[in-house]
Amino acid sequence: MASSIGIMDSAYFVGRNEILTWINKRLQLNLSRVEEAASGAVQCQIMDMTYPGVVPMHKVNFDAKSEYDMIQNYKILQEVFNKLKIEKHIEVNRLVKGRPLDNLEFLQWLKRYCDSVNGGIMNENYNPVERRSKCGKDKNLKSSSKSSKSLQTNVVNNSVSGNTLRPNGTSGLKQHRSSSAAGVINSSADIEALSKEITDLKLSVDVLEKERDFYYAKLRDVEILCQTPQLENAPMSIAIKKILYAADAKESALDEAQDYLNQILEAAQSEEEEAQVEAENEA
């Protein structure tokens, strides 16, 4: 089912207000922008509502703010997709940036998929608030444990270093400061180089997104033209729609469209020849 939801599917023409209403009603949330779902937690719970018990909600982090924590949520979601054999690649690097268009398209797809599973009917037995209360418990426990161990280690290290301090500690401190300064210089150079690389990548992404939107708009214009009453049933319009609505992205639909046109042309040519023969016989 997932692979058959193509770019020209009606799912991608559902407005953001409808998407937000759909999420808020089902999960008892109060989202006002689609990018508020960029952490991936909302998508995990939508799947949990569609397939109760499949999503390990105790691992989902609804308070995720950093990209690292968001990526962990999407890893959980991808594992659920794999378990359910849903052939959908998640563009994690785009979604965690919080760009409205990327998040809207993924939520549009998700709504289309979930509606195809349950017919758009809400699971009345599902308590979204109660399920969210289970989120992140294991993670918090692990973090507390790690913090406790780290604190104990620091105390021990500080105690040991305090007991073994010698008069020549001043010299060692100077060496430490000089090496630290060199490390800061190197780190600054690395940070500057990485920042420049990130800036260049962002510019490349922006250019690619503009190019994608440009060609998407052209495809949409072609589709609208093919749907006009005067051209809707024309052979060329039908052939173009075969290409637009092709479900399998790995294979080109051009051959199928050309075969269809060739059949139409051959049929028309045969009719013309028959009409010509009839006209000659009558003459």
Side-chain angles (χ1 to χ4, degrees):
M1 176 62 212
S3 60
S4 64
I5 304 175
I7 190 173
M8 301 305 292
D9 191 277
S10 59
Y12 295 107
F13 300 101
V14 176
R16 65 186 63 205
N17 289 334
E18 184 177 344
I19 291 293
L20 289 171
T21 301
W22 176 70
I23 292 172
N24 291 334
K25 185 176 180 181
R26 277 159 174 72
L27 302 185
Q28 296 180 27
L29 292 171
N30 192 27
L31 303 185
S32 58
R33 298 176 301 166
V34 292
E35 52 268 38
E36 291 178 42
S39 71
V42 166
Q43 292 87 331
C44 285
Q45 191 168 14
I46 286 289
M47 290 301 295
D48 183 63
M49 185 178 192
T50 306
Y51 295 98
V54 173
V55 181
M57 290 297 289
H58 62 281
K59 295 182 180 180
V60 178
N61 185 357
F62 260 87
D63 296 323
K65 296 293 188 294
S66 68
E67 287 191 9
Y68 174 81
D69 289 335
M70 294 179 184
I71 289 171
Q72 302 312 305
N73 284 340
Y74 283 111
K75 283 184 177 179
I76 295 170
L77 186 63
Q78 188 67 69
E79 287 174 0
V80 171
F81 281 7
N82 294 341
K83 188 184 298 183
L84 297 171
K85 293 182 171 49
I86 300 174
E87 296 179 3
K88 172 67 175 174
H89 176 66
I90 303 174
E91 298 285 353
V92 178
N93 292 333
R94 291 174 178 245
L95 295 172
V96 296
K97 300 297 183 186
R99 291 193 177 95
L101 181 59
D102 292 324
N103 281 275
L104 176 62
E105 286 182 354
F106 186 63
L107 290 171
Q108 286 170 331
W109 176 88
L110 188 63
K111 181 180 186 303
R112 175 76 168 81
Y113 175 79
C114 292
D115 286 349
S116 71
V117 173
N118 55 28
I121 300 173
M122 190 171 12
N123 185 352
E124 299 293 342
N125 297 322
Y126 184 83
N127 188 331
V129 178
E130 182 181 345
R131 289 292 288 167
R132 277 199 297 279
S133 68
K134 302 180 184 298
C135 292
K137 286 189 176 180
D138 286 3
K139 185 177 294 185
N140 292 336
L141 288 173
K142 289 178 182 177
S143 298
S144 300
S145 176
K146 286 181 181 178
S147 299
S148 177
K149 289 180 181 178
S150 176
L151 182 60
Q152 291 174 4
T153 303
N154 289 337
V155 170
V156 171
N157 289 340
N158 289 337
S159 300
V160 171
S161 60
N163 292 332
T164 58
L165 188 62
R166 294 185 174 85
N168 63 351
T170 305
S171 174
L173 183 60
K174 288 181 180 179
Q175 292 177 356
H176 175 69
R177 284 179 178 173
S178 62
S179 62
S180 297
V184 169
I185 293 172
N186 292 334
S187 297
S188 299
D190 291 340
I191 290 171
E192 186 176 351
L194 289 171
S195 297
K196 184 178 182 305
E197 185 178 352
I198 290 171
T199 302
D200 292 340
L201 288 171
K202 284 182 176 179
L203 289 173
S204 299
V205 169
D206 289 340
V207 170
L208 289 172
E209 286 182 344
K210 288 179 181 177
E211 186 176 358
R212 178 198 64 184
D213 293 342
F214 173 77
Y215 287 112
Y216 180 85
K218 285 192 172 296
L219 286 171
R220 179 60 179 145
D221 290 342
V222 170
E223 183 188 39
I224 292 172
L225 182 63
C226 290
Q227 289 175 343
T228 55
Q230 298 86 348
L231 299 174
E232 187 173 8
N233 296 320
M236 185 58 72
S237 295
I238 295 174
I240 291 173
K241 284 188 284 187
K242 283 182 179 292
I243 296 174
L244 290 177
Y245 300 147
D248 193 348
K250 297 179 182 178
E251 297 181 4
S252 173
L254 180 59
D255 293 338
E256 183 183 353
Q258 286 179 333
D259 289 341
Y260 171 77
L261 285 177
N262 289 335
Q263 290 175 10
I264 296 295
L265 290 173
E266 289 174 1
Q269 187 175 0
S270 297
E271 289 179 2
E272 185 178 351
E273 290 175 353
E274 289 176 2
Q276 187 176 358
V277 170
E278 289 179 2
E280 290 176 353
N281 292 334
E282 290 176 359

